[in-house]
Amino acid sequence: MDVHFTQYQPPKALAFGFWQQIGLPARGRKLHELLHEGVEYRVYPQLAKVSGIEQKVLASYVDIPPATLSRRAKSGRFKMAESDRLYRFAELFKAALDLFEGDADGARAWLLKPNAGLGGRRPVEMSATSAEYQTVLNLIGRLEHGVSV
């Protein structure tokens, strides 16, 4: 009997549902425009809710000081650099969610746990810069393909 294994592909509904829940397009021109003009503040509490990470804690992971967060809540919009960091965090959470086949608790636990493949750092702490973010995405890719870290 011939057995063929295929790489796990998350259901399209899961991918679409995540971005819809937080209020951002997953890709494309509309996303690019939103990031340039600044993501609306309402996305932030939704991202915290979906990820299960308290808002104040999430702000520290994406390097947004409390006073700045308060100003953004009043103005209703984040600046471009802050929007980009929020998007990177959302991408990391979504990638972890896919790795754990939609299990949000498993994804959150993995993001919060120190990881040997990241030099003992927690993945959630690595969304503030693009280099760190890419390192975590690369690790998730290796894990999805069964490559030991």
Side-chain angles (χ1 to χ4, degrees):
M1 179 163 88
D2 229 1
V3 178
H4 297 280
F5 294 96
T6 59
Q7 177 184 347
Y8 168 74
Q9 293 293 321
K12 297 289 184 208
L14 178 65
F16 177 74
F18 172 80
W19 295 107
Q20 186 177 40
Q21 284 179 51
I22 64 171
L24 286 177
R27 302 263 181 270
R29 184 176 178 182
K30 187 167 179 146
L31 171 65
H32 304 160
E33 290 170 357
L34 280 173
L35 292 175
H36 276 275
E37 68 187 38
V39 169
E40 290 182 40
Y41 182 83
R42 66 175 176 76
V43 168
Y44 177 73
Q46 284 302 112
L47 181 56
K49 179 181 177 182
V50 168
S51 68
I53 295 177
E54 184 183 331
Q55 289 187 36
K56 289 179 183 179
V57 176
L58 176 56
S60 69
Y61 293 144
V62 294
D63 196 28
I64 300 175
T68 301
L69 189 60
S70 179
R71 284 193 305 275
R72 300 304 176 253
K74 290 176 186 168
S75 73
R77 192 170 294 280
F78 288 95
K79 301 283 186 189
M80 183 172 59
E82 298 157 349
S83 297
D84 190 46
R85 291 193 303 270
L86 286 168
Y87 177 75
R88 283 195 302 254
F89 175 84
E91 275 280 316
L92 287 184
F93 186 78
K94 178 64 175 81
L97 193 60
D98 290 346
L99 177 66
F100 284 84
E101 300 183 6
D103 176 4
D105 292 334
R108 182 175 39 262
W110 184 83
L111 286 169
L112 293 171
K113 184 179 176 185
N115 191 295
L118 300 172
R121 292 187 64 196
R122 299 183 314 156
V124 75
E125 298 170 339
M126 299 180 71
S127 64
T129 70
S130 57
E132 292 171 321
Y133 154 82
Q134 195 59 56
T135 298
V136 177
L137 286 183
N138 290 343
L139 174 61
I140 289 171
R142 290 194 314 266
L143 292 171
E144 285 178 331
H145 290 91
V147 178
S148 62
V149 291

